[in-house]
Amino acid sequence: MIDERQPKHYALTLLPYPSGDLHIGHWYAMTPSDARARYMRMKGFNVLFPIGFDAFGLPAENAAIKNNIHPKIWTFANIERMRGQLRSMGAMFDWEREAISADPSYYKWTQWFFKKLIEMGLAYRKMSAVDFCPNCNTTLAREQVWGDDRHCERCGTPVIKKDLEQWFFKTTDYAEELLDFSEIDWPERVKTMQTNWIGKSTGADVIFHTEMGHPIEIFTTRPDTLWGATFMVLAPEHPLVDEITTPEQADTVLTYREQAERLTDIDRETADREKTGVFTGAYAINPVNQARIPIWIADYVLMSYGSGAIMAVPAHDERDFEFAKKFGLEIIEVIRAPGRTDEDGPLEEAYVSKTEGVLVNSGQFSGTPASEAVQMVTDWLAEQGLGEAAVNYRLRDWLISRQRYWGAPIPVVYCPEHGAVPVPDEDLPVELPEDVEFTPTGESPLKFHEGFLHTTCPICGEPALRETDTMDTFMCSSWYQYRYLSPDYDGGPFDPVEGDYWLPVDQYTGGVEHATMHLIYTRFFTKAMREMGLVDFDEPMLRLYNQGMVLGEDGEKMSKSRGNVVAPDALVQEYGADTVRTYLMFFAKWDQGGPWNYGGIKGPYRLLNDVWDLALTAYEPGQEEAQATRSLRRKTHQTIRKVGEDLETFSFNTAVAAIMELRNSLTDAKRKQNVSQAAWDEGIDNLLLLLAPIAPHITEELWAQRGRPYSIHQQPWPEWDAEIAKEDAITLVVQVNGKVRDKIGVEAGLPDETLREIALSSEKIQHWLEGKEPRKVIVVKGRLVNIVK
């Protein structure tokens, strides 16, 4: 039982995928996270540090096809192997709370959440394009599309886009709230990445019309440039293309659309890629000046952003300028840069400033300062009924349908009478059938499993078909931190009593590569759970730290093909888990990572051997020297302060370095035998306590052998005494015009004014001042004086 009078600390590290072997990256993420959790326990917190497995996913399905083994067998065998590897870390994982996303008792609640999102209007179904192999007759995941030519990994056939009915979650409903980071302490890099991914833009929605009367709504951040719109561009997949393309242009447009289908959105948006496009043969009318402008299609316009249509203003947009120059389209300057005149000739590049210059060739707005024009034109558009102020986001709704077997089944059946009907709660979970056959094409066997596919409608009882898509695995990992609280609880996704105590997560650790997917999805999920009444907070994890990456010795990303993979099991066998843990926390700044160095591991190995020898030494003081005792006690208390500060901020490398310095001081005291027994014991005990979160096995053993109370990990974190830690003297560095000109030994803790006087009275400094009064004297942190002549 936990003592709920103590503060709680929910520490969470990103759950692993059961690939079969833990690599050194897992150790680098998890063991420092474990050290931090152990430190918090010693600080007096009730600490929860659970573990589980993100067990659904495509690799298991690929293994099934390649090795003729069922994904469940492959996955759970890997989990069993990885459990042993995880235990070898010596982490304080709470194994009783283990959760596995592929277990029916887990994905029952994943399905329940799906149903709740339908009830809330946050889940819906619509047509959407997927990558499709026409030879294998199956949809492909991103990982299965290879090469610049985008071919199927299995058969090499060029991949095409195909529209399918798929399920989405309305993440866009929370776009504005997802931009608010005021309640979380997350790295600036992650917040910036999420902000850019959400991509909020302010501007105006404006309605153009084709000559045939078709409305085309566009969103623009630059309504002030409307008079410079000389053509329009539609995304190749825009539904209007079929209606407006003239017979003369039909073949050209069709060929171009087929080419565009083979490109990813990332390829299409690449800024330095040469612009391509074709004319549809149709024209639109610019609503502000009635100009007749051609309508093109081009792959740099995406259906996934805005309306899939843009007004093109080549004079004031770099992409439009490049496009217009290539295809000989008109360029009309409507914002005149400061200092530019009519005599300067045509623009040589787009002028993109929103704040400098004045409007020209813009009807009644000509002469308006650019800095005022956006708001003025937006207001005028609204008055004229031509448009209105608008906010747009790059964030898209979350596509969660996957045409795969090894995932949580979507709990919906399709009835000829009632359409899409959610499966009742009492029939959850909708379990994956195990007696399935995988085909070489990779098609989901759920599509052909008669027992799974055919069911009855929950409303009318008539024959119905079950949804054969499964859910994106990010669905499972969006709420796993809640299931950890009570993995065997069957009254809901988690026990509310446990939730009241432990939630939300206090500290999360994981890679920055998850910034724009998992970390957005789990934030969305928590906000939706708040609306469901399941939680009463807004954010899933209050604090986040990202680890860097361990590279191979060659400085490259580890891969089997490069032969630079570091196997942690072999290292544990040779050096022991504590040495591997200590080296991983020492060799680099944790948030940056760096190249592995097999030679470097010997330093932490020596440290632990030295600690063993020191802790078991029967110290016999000789002639005690008061200054030596004072010096050792000072180093002990300075180290307590330093290691505590560093573990608070995940600065493990400097924490280990400080422990090494204390080891050196104790080694010196042992050799000279000139400190008191009390100072020695204080130093050794605190050395073990400070090292305990980092190297838990050896410190537990040494603590016991020294006859101290069980367990070292249940001891309070040591307190440091400011008076004992205070330096007796410091070296005052004195600079003249930024160059060091003297170093002076002075008493520690002197006020800045006294340090100023000492520096100016130095004979060396007087020599460099040449009898002149200094213009400025700056005292920095009580250790440095900089004099400006």
Side-chain angles (χ1 to χ4, degrees), residues 579-606:
T579 298
V580 179
R581 288 172 61 107
T582 306
Y583 178 61
L584 285 169
M585 292 183 228
F586 177 63
F587 90 105
K589 291 185 69 173
W590 189 67
D591 63 340
Q592 295 179 9
W596 180 265
N597 180 351
Y598 280 101
I601 199 171
K602 294 175 182 176
Y605 187 61
R606 282 194 301 272

PDB file of all heavy atoms in Angstrom, residues 579-606:
ATOM      1  N   THR A 579      27.495  -0.906 -15.254  1.00  0.00           N
ATOM      2  CA  THR A 579      28.495  -0.214 -16.070  1.00  0.00           C
ATOM      3  C   THR A 579      27.858   0.342 -17.333  1.00  0.00           C
ATOM      4  O   THR A 579      28.124   1.491 -17.730  1.00  0.00           O
ATOM      5  CB  THR A 579      29.638  -1.171 -16.447  1.00  0.00           C
ATOM      6  OG1 THR A 579      30.280  -1.616 -15.251  1.00  0.00           O
ATOM      7  CG2 THR A 579      30.660  -0.480 -17.326  1.00  0.00           C
ATOM      8  N   VAL A 580      27.009  -0.459 -17.979  1.00  0.00           N
ATOM      9  CA  VAL A 580      26.345   0.018 -19.201  1.00  0.00           C
ATOM     10  C   VAL A 580      25.465   1.220 -18.882  1.00  0.00           C
ATOM     11  O   VAL A 580      25.470   2.231 -19.603  1.00  0.00           O
ATOM     12  CB  VAL A 580      25.521  -1.114 -19.846  1.00  0.00           C
ATOM     13  CG1 VAL A 580      24.803  -0.608 -21.095  1.00  0.00           C
ATOM     14  CG2 VAL A 580      26.426  -2.299 -20.196  1.00  0.00           C
ATOM     15  N   ARG A 581      24.703   1.145 -17.807  1.00  0.00           N
ATOM     16  CA  ARG A 581      23.856   2.270 -17.386  1.00  0.00           C
ATOM     17  C   ARG A 581      24.710   3.517 -17.153  1.00  0.00           C
ATOM     18  O   ARG A 581      24.384   4.613 -17.642  1.00  0.00           O
ATOM     19  CB  ARG A 581      23.111   1.909 -16.095  1.00  0.00           C
ATOM     20  CG  ARG A 581      21.986   0.908 -16.233  1.00  0.00           C
ATOM     21  CD  ARG A 581      21.453   0.486 -14.863  1.00  0.00           C
ATOM     22  NE  ARG A 581      20.912   1.610 -14.122  1.00  0.00           N
ATOM     23  CZ  ARG A 581      19.617   1.844 -13.901  1.00  0.00           C
ATOM     24  NH1 ARG A 581      18.712   0.998 -14.374  1.00  0.00           N
ATOM     25  NH2 ARG A 581      19.215   2.890 -13.213  1.00  0.00           N
ATOM     26  N   THR A 582      25.787   3.349 -16.382  1.00  0.00           N
ATOM     27  CA  THR A 582      26.606   4.511 -16.026  1.00  0.00           C
ATOM     28  C   THR A 582      27.251   5.128 -17.257  1.00  0.00           C
ATOM     29  O   THR A 582      27.292   6.364 -17.394  1.00  0.00           O
ATOM     30  CB  THR A 582      27.689   4.096 -15.013  1.00  0.00           C
ATOM     31  OG1 THR A 582      27.067   3.460 -13.893  1.00  0.00           O
ATOM     32  CG2 THR A 582      28.472   5.298 -14.527  1.00  0.00           C
ATOM     33  N   TYR A 583      27.723   4.296 -18.183  1.00  0.00           N
ATOM     34  CA  TYR A 583      28.345   4.843 -19.390  1.00  0.00           C
ATOM     35  C   TYR A 583      27.323   5.593 -20.242  1.00  0.00           C
ATOM     36  O   TYR A 583      27.614   6.670 -20.777  1.00  0.00           O
ATOM     37  CB  TYR A 583      28.999   3.743 -20.218  1.00  0.00           C
ATOM     38  CG  TYR A 583      29.610   4.284 -21.495  1.00  0.00           C
ATOM     39  CD1 TYR A 583      30.636   5.228 -21.453  1.00  0.00           C
ATOM     40  CD2 TYR A 583      29.143   3.892 -22.741  1.00  0.00           C
ATOM     41  CE1 TYR A 583      31.181   5.755 -22.612  1.00  0.00           C
ATOM     42  CE2 TYR A 583      29.684   4.401 -23.905  1.00  0.00           C
ATOM     43  CZ  TYR A 583      30.701   5.340 -23.842  1.00  0.00           C
ATOM     44  OH  TYR A 583      31.231   5.876 -24.992  1.00  0.00           O
ATOM     45  N   LEU A 584      26.116   5.027 -20.373  1.00  0.00           N
ATOM     46  CA  LEU A 584      25.094   5.694 -21.177  1.00  0.00           C
ATOM     47  C   LEU A 584      24.722   7.056 -20.599  1.00  0.00           C
ATOM     48  O   LEU A 584      24.322   7.962 -21.331  1.00  0.00           O
ATOM     49  CB  LEU A 584      23.853   4.810 -21.296  1.00  0.00           C
ATOM     50  CG  LEU A 584      23.990   3.625 -22.253  1.00  0.00           C
ATOM     51  CD1 LEU A 584      22.812   2.676 -22.101  1.00  0.00           C
ATOM     52  CD2 LEU A 584      24.109   4.098 -23.692  1.00  0.00           C
ATOM     53  N   MET A 585      24.841   7.198 -19.297  1.00  0.00           N
ATOM     54  CA  MET A 585      24.523   8.485 -18.679  1.00  0.00           C
ATOM     55  C   MET A 585      25.723   9.432 -18.667  1.00  0.00           C
ATOM     56  O   MET A 585      25.554  10.625 -18.399  1.00  0.00           O
ATOM     57  CB  MET A 585      24.010   8.265 -17.253  1.00  0.00           C
ATOM     58  CG  MET A 585      22.650   7.575 -17.221  1.00  0.00           C
ATOM     59  SD  MET A 585      21.996   7.375 -15.559  1.00  0.00           S
ATOM     60  CE  MET A 585      21.501   5.659 -15.592  1.00  0.00           C
ATOM     61  N   PHE A 586      26.905   8.902 -18.989  1.00  0.00           N
ATOM     62  CA  PHE A 586      28.123   9.700 -18.897  1.00  0.00           C
ATOM     63  C   PHE A 586      28.663  10.165 -20.242  1.00  0.00           C
ATOM     64  O   PHE A 586      29.210  11.262 -20.360  1.00  0.00           O
ATOM     65  CB  PHE A 586      29.199   8.879 -18.172  1.00  0.00           C
ATOM     66  CG  PHE A 586      30.534   9.565 -18.081  1.00  0.00           C
ATOM     67  CD1 PHE A 586      30.695  10.754 -17.377  1.00  0.00           C
ATOM     68  CD2 PHE A 586      31.652   9.015 -18.703  1.00  0.00           C
ATOM     69  CE1 PHE A 586      31.923  11.384 -17.298  1.00  0.00           C
ATOM     70  CE2 PHE A 586      32.883   9.643 -18.626  1.00  0.00           C
ATOM     71  CZ  PHE A 586      33.024  10.833 -17.919  1.00  0.00           C
ATOM     72  N   PHE A 587      28.461   9.360 -21.297  1.00  0.00           N
ATOM     73  CA  PHE A 587      29.244   9.591 -22.511  1.00  0.00           C
ATOM     74  C   PHE A 587      28.800  10.808 -23.317  1.00  0.00           C
ATOM     75  O   PHE A 587      29.548  11.300 -24.164  1.00  0.00           O
ATOM     76  CB  PHE A 587      29.219   8.329 -23.398  1.00  0.00           C
ATOM     77  CG  PHE A 587      28.100   8.270 -24.396  1.00  0.00           C
ATOM     78  CD1 PHE A 587      28.319   8.496 -25.735  1.00  0.00           C
ATOM     79  CD2 PHE A 587      26.799   7.976 -23.977  1.00  0.00           C
ATOM     80  CE1 PHE A 587      27.296   8.430 -26.653  1.00  0.00           C
ATOM     81  CE2 PHE A 587      25.769   7.906 -24.892  1.00  0.00           C
ATOM     82  CZ  PHE A 587      26.018   8.132 -26.239  1.00  0.00           C
ATOM     83  N   ALA A 588      27.603  11.318 -23.067  1.00  0.00           N
ATOM     84  CA  ALA A 588      27.111  12.462 -23.852  1.00  0.00           C
ATOM     85  C   ALA A 588      26.017  13.170 -23.073  1.00  0.00           C
ATOM     86  O   ALA A 588      25.461  12.619 -22.112  1.00  0.00           O
ATOM     87  CB  ALA A 588      26.547  11.981 -25.198  1.00  0.00           C
ATOM     88  N   LYS A 589      25.721  14.396 -23.485  1.00  0.00           N
ATOM     89  CA  LYS A 589      24.538  15.059 -22.940  1.00  0.00           C
ATOM     90  C   LYS A 589      23.316  14.260 -23.370  1.00  0.00           C
ATOM     91  O   LYS A 589      23.164  13.947 -24.553  1.00  0.00           O
ATOM     92  CB  LYS A 589      24.440  16.501 -23.454  1.00  0.00           C
ATOM     93  CG  LYS A 589      25.511  17.429 -22.919  1.00  0.00           C
ATOM     94  CD  LYS A 589      25.274  18.864 -23.363  1.00  0.00           C
ATOM     95  CE  LYS A 589      24.039  19.436 -22.674  1.00  0.00           C
ATOM     96  NZ  LYS A 589      23.870  20.884 -22.963  1.00  0.00           N
ATOM     97  N   TRP A 590      22.454  13.952 -22.417  1.00  0.00           N
ATOM     98  CA  TRP A 590      21.375  13.005 -22.691  1.00  0.00           C
ATOM     99  C   TRP A 590      20.446  13.490 -23.792  1.00  0.00           C
ATOM    100  O   TRP A 590      19.944  12.690 -24.586  1.00  0.00           O
ATOM    101  CB  TRP A 590      20.587  12.744 -21.399  1.00  0.00           C
ATOM    102  CG  TRP A 590      19.609  11.624 -21.525  1.00  0.00           C
ATOM    103  CD1 TRP A 590      19.896  10.307 -21.695  1.00  0.00           C
ATOM    104  CD2 TRP A 590      18.182  11.705 -21.490  1.00  0.00           C
ATOM    105  NE1 TRP A 590      18.740   9.554 -21.758  1.00  0.00           N
ATOM    106  CE2 TRP A 590      17.676  10.396 -21.635  1.00  0.00           C
ATOM    107  CE3 TRP A 590      17.286  12.763 -21.340  1.00  0.00           C
ATOM    108  CZ2 TRP A 590      16.308  10.122 -21.635  1.00  0.00           C
ATOM    109  CZ3 TRP A 590      15.932  12.474 -21.338  1.00  0.00           C
ATOM    110  CH2 TRP A 590      15.457  11.179 -21.493  1.00  0.00           C
ATOM    111  N   ASP A 591      20.202  14.775 -23.872  1.00  0.00           N
ATOM    112  CA  ASP A 591      19.273  15.277 -24.886  1.00  0.00           C
ATOM    113  C   ASP A 591      19.925  15.409 -26.265  1.00  0.00           C
ATOM    114  O   ASP A 591      19.244  15.749 -27.234  1.00  0.00           O
ATOM    115  CB  ASP A 591      18.672  16.617 -24.448  1.00  0.00           C
ATOM    116  CG  ASP A 591      19.721  17.702 -24.304  1.00  0.00           C
ATOM    117  OD1 ASP A 591      20.914  17.380 -24.162  1.00  0.00           O
ATOM    118  OD2 ASP A 591      19.340  18.892 -24.324  1.00  0.00           O
ATOM    119  N   GLN A 592      21.229  15.129 -26.348  1.00  0.00           N
ATOM    120  CA  GLN A 592      21.914  15.249 -27.632  1.00  0.00           C
ATOM    121  C   GLN A 592      22.401  13.916 -28.175  1.00  0.00           C
ATOM    122  O   GLN A 592      22.363  13.670 -29.377  1.00  0.00           O
ATOM    123  CB  GLN A 592      23.095  16.221 -27.498  1.00  0.00           C
ATOM    124  CG  GLN A 592      22.670  17.640 -27.202  1.00  0.00           C
ATOM    125  CD  GLN A 592      23.843  18.591 -27.057  1.00  0.00           C
ATOM    126  OE1 GLN A 592      24.990  18.224 -27.340  1.00  0.00           O
ATOM    127  NE2 GLN A 592      23.578  19.809 -26.615  1.00  0.00           N
ATOM    128  N   GLY A 593      22.888  13.032 -27.286  1.00  0.00           N
ATOM    129  CA  GLY A 593      23.443  11.771 -27.756  1.00  0.00           C
ATOM    130  C   GLY A 593      24.788  11.982 -28.427  1.00  0.00           C
ATOM    131  O   GLY A 593      25.386  13.055 -28.362  1.00  0.00           O
ATOM    132  N   GLY A 594      25.275  10.939 -29.096  1.00  0.00           N
ATOM    133  CA  GLY A 594      26.566  11.035 -29.765  1.00  0.00           C
ATOM    134  C   GLY A 594      27.064   9.663 -30.169  1.00  0.00           C
ATOM    135  O   GLY A 594      26.392   8.638 -29.962  1.00  0.00           O
ATOM    136  N   PRO A 595      28.266   9.604 -30.758  1.00  0.00           N
ATOM    137  CA  PRO A 595      28.825   8.324 -31.215  1.00  0.00           C
ATOM    138  C   PRO A 595      29.227   7.425 -30.051  1.00  0.00           C
ATOM    139  O   PRO A 595      29.788   7.889 -29.065  1.00  0.00           O
ATOM    140  CB  PRO A 595      30.059   8.739 -32.037  1.00  0.00           C
ATOM    141  CG  PRO A 595      29.920  10.201 -32.267  1.00  0.00           C
ATOM    142  CD  PRO A 595      29.122  10.741 -31.130  1.00  0.00           C
ATOM    143  N   TRP A 596      28.929   6.149 -30.185  1.00  0.00           N
ATOM    144  CA  TRP A 596      29.353   5.167 -29.195  1.00  0.00           C
ATOM    145  C   TRP A 596      30.876   5.039 -29.238  1.00  0.00           C
ATOM    146  O   TRP A 596      31.499   5.176 -30.294  1.00  0.00           O
ATOM    147  CB  TRP A 596      28.709   3.825 -29.507  1.00  0.00           C
ATOM    148  CG  TRP A 596      29.083   2.748 -28.534  1.00  0.00           C
ATOM    149  CD1 TRP A 596      30.080   1.832 -28.663  1.00  0.00           C
ATOM    150  CD2 TRP A 596      28.465   2.506 -27.269  1.00  0.00           C
ATOM    151  NE1 TRP A 596      30.123   1.024 -27.561  1.00  0.00           N
ATOM    152  CE2 TRP A 596      29.144   1.409 -26.689  1.00  0.00           C
ATOM    153  CE3 TRP A 596      27.409   3.095 -26.581  1.00  0.00           C
ATOM    154  CZ2 TRP A 596      28.790   0.903 -25.447  1.00  0.00           C
ATOM    155  CZ3 TRP A 596      27.056   2.589 -25.342  1.00  0.00           C
ATOM    156  CH2 TRP A 596      27.744   1.505 -24.782  1.00  0.00           C
ATOM    157  N   ASN A 597      31.463   4.762 -28.093  1.00  0.00           N
ATOM    158  CA  ASN A 597      32.911   4.585 -28.004  1.00  0.00           C
ATOM    159  C   ASN A 597      33.187   3.408 -27.079  1.00  0.00           C
ATOM    160  O   ASN A 597      33.004   3.511 -25.865  1.00  0.00           O
ATOM    161  CB  ASN A 597      33.567   5.865 -27.472  1.00  0.00           C
ATOM    162  CG  ASN A 597      35.074   5.744 -27.365  1.00  0.00           C
ATOM    163  OD1 ASN A 597      35.640   4.672 -27.520  1.00  0.00           O
ATOM    164  ND2 ASN A 597      35.730   6.853 -27.098  1.00  0.00           N
ATOM    165  N   TYR A 598      33.602   2.281 -27.664  1.00  0.00           N
ATOM    166  CA  TYR A 598      33.849   1.099 -26.844  1.00  0.00           C
ATOM    167  C   TYR A 598      34.952   1.351 -25.816  1.00  0.00           C
ATOM    168  O   TYR A 598      34.920   0.804 -24.715  1.00  0.00           O
ATOM    169  CB  TYR A 598      34.218  -0.094 -27.726  1.00  0.00           C
ATOM    170  CG  TYR A 598      33.014  -0.753 -28.366  1.00  0.00           C
ATOM    171  CD1 TYR A 598      32.681  -0.494 -29.690  1.00  0.00           C
ATOM    172  CD2 TYR A 598      32.203  -1.615 -27.635  1.00  0.00           C
ATOM    173  CE1 TYR A 598      31.576  -1.089 -30.280  1.00  0.00           C
ATOM    174  CE2 TYR A 598      31.095  -2.218 -28.217  1.00  0.00           C
ATOM    175  CZ  TYR A 598      30.783  -1.947 -29.533  1.00  0.00           C
ATOM    176  OH  TYR A 598      29.685  -2.536 -30.104  1.00  0.00           O
ATOM    177  N   GLY A 599      35.931   2.174 -26.176  1.00  0.00           N
ATOM    178  CA  GLY A 599      36.978   2.496 -25.223  1.00  0.00           C
ATOM    179  C   GLY A 599      36.473   3.321 -24.060  1.00  0.00           C
ATOM    180  O   GLY A 599      36.949   3.191 -22.921  1.00  0.00           O
ATOM    181  N   GLY A 600      35.466   4.158 -24.305  1.00  0.00           N
ATOM    182  CA  GLY A 600      34.958   5.051 -23.279  1.00  0.00           C
ATOM    183  C   GLY A 600      34.267   4.340 -22.137  1.00  0.00           C
ATOM    184  O   GLY A 600      34.194   4.877 -21.023  1.00  0.00           O
ATOM    185  N   ILE A 601      33.759   3.134 -22.368  1.00  0.00           N
ATOM    186  CA  ILE A 601      33.021   2.434 -21.321  1.00  0.00           C
ATOM    187  C   ILE A 601      33.949   2.005 -20.176  1.00  0.00           C
ATOM    188  O   ILE A 601      33.496   1.706 -19.071  1.00  0.00           O
ATOM    189  CB  ILE A 601      32.271   1.214 -21.907  1.00  0.00           C
ATOM    190  CG1 ILE A 601      31.148   0.772 -20.961  1.00  0.00           C
ATOM    191  CG2 ILE A 601      33.231   0.075 -22.201  1.00  0.00           C
ATOM    192  CD1 ILE A 601      30.238  -0.288 -21.574  1.00  0.00           C
ATOM    193  N   LYS A 602      35.240   2.016 -20.447  1.00  0.00           N
ATOM    194  CA  LYS A 602      36.177   1.575 -19.408  1.00  0.00           C
ATOM    195  C   LYS A 602      36.261   2.565 -18.253  1.00  0.00           C
ATOM    196  O   LYS A 602      36.566   2.170 -17.122  1.00  0.00           O
ATOM    197  CB  LYS A 602      37.556   1.343 -20.026  1.00  0.00           C
ATOM    198  CG  LYS A 602      37.554   0.174 -21.011  1.00  0.00           C
ATOM    199  CD  LYS A 602      38.890   0.010 -21.713  1.00  0.00           C
ATOM    200  CE  LYS A 602      38.828  -1.143 -22.721  1.00  0.00           C
ATOM    201  NZ  LYS A 602      40.078  -1.289 -23.493  1.00  0.00           N
ATOM    202  N   GLY A 603      35.982   3.850 -18.521  1.00  0.00           N
ATOM    203  CA  GLY A 603      35.991   4.833 -17.442  1.00  0.00           C
ATOM    204  C   GLY A 603      34.929   4.547 -16.392  1.00  0.00           C
ATOM    205  O   GLY A 603      35.242   4.438 -15.196  1.00  0.00           O
ATOM    206  N   PRO A 604      33.664   4.396 -16.768  1.00  0.00           N
ATOM    207  CA  PRO A 604      32.637   3.997 -15.795  1.00  0.00           C
ATOM    208  C   PRO A 604      32.913   2.638 -15.156  1.00  0.00           C
ATOM    209  O   PRO A 604      32.588   2.422 -13.986  1.00  0.00           O
ATOM    210  CB  PRO A 604      31.354   3.972 -16.639  1.00  0.00           C
ATOM    211  CG  PRO A 604      31.612   4.971 -17.718  1.00  0.00           C
ATOM    212  CD  PRO A 604      33.067   4.815 -18.049  1.00  0.00           C
ATOM    213  N   TYR A 605      33.518   1.714 -15.917  1.00  0.00           N
ATOM    214  CA  TYR A 605      33.864   0.408 -15.353  1.00  0.00           C
ATOM    215  C   TYR A 605      34.882   0.580 -14.224  1.00  0.00           C
ATOM    216  O   TYR A 605      34.752  -0.031 -13.145  1.00  0.00           O
ATOM    217  CB  TYR A 605      34.418  -0.490 -16.458  1.00  0.00           C
ATOM    218  CG  TYR A 605      34.669  -1.920 -16.050  1.00  0.00           C
ATOM    219  CD1 TYR A 605      33.641  -2.733 -15.605  1.00  0.00           C
ATOM    220  CD2 TYR A 605      35.954  -2.467 -16.134  1.00  0.00           C
ATOM    221  CE1 TYR A 605      33.860  -4.053 -15.247  1.00  0.00           C
ATOM    222  CE2 TYR A 605      36.192  -3.786 -15.771  1.00  0.00           C
ATOM    223  CZ  TYR A 605      35.142  -4.576 -15.328  1.00  0.00           C
ATOM    224  OH  TYR A 605      35.364  -5.877 -14.963  1.00  0.00           O
ATOM    225  N   ARG A 606      35.883   1.423 -14.452  1.00  0.00           N
ATOM    226  CA  ARG A 606      36.869   1.704 -13.395  1.00  0.00           C
ATOM    227  C   ARG A 606      36.202   2.392 -12.214  1.00  0.00           C
ATOM    228  O   ARG A 606      36.530   2.105 -11.049  1.00  0.00           O
ATOM    229  CB  ARG A 606      38.001   2.583 -13.938  1.00  0.00           C
ATOM    230  CG  ARG A 606      39.029   1.841 -14.767  1.00  0.00           C
ATOM    231  CD  ARG A 606      40.274   2.692 -14.972  1.00  0.00           C
ATOM    232  NE  ARG A 606      39.963   3.956 -15.640  1.00  0.00           N
ATOM    233  CZ  ARG A 606      39.936   4.119 -16.958  1.00  0.00           C
ATOM    234  NH1 ARG A 606      40.195   3.086 -17.746  1.00  0.00           N
ATOM    235  NH2 ARG A 606      39.650   5.289 -17.494  1.00  0.00           N
TER     236      ARG A 606
END
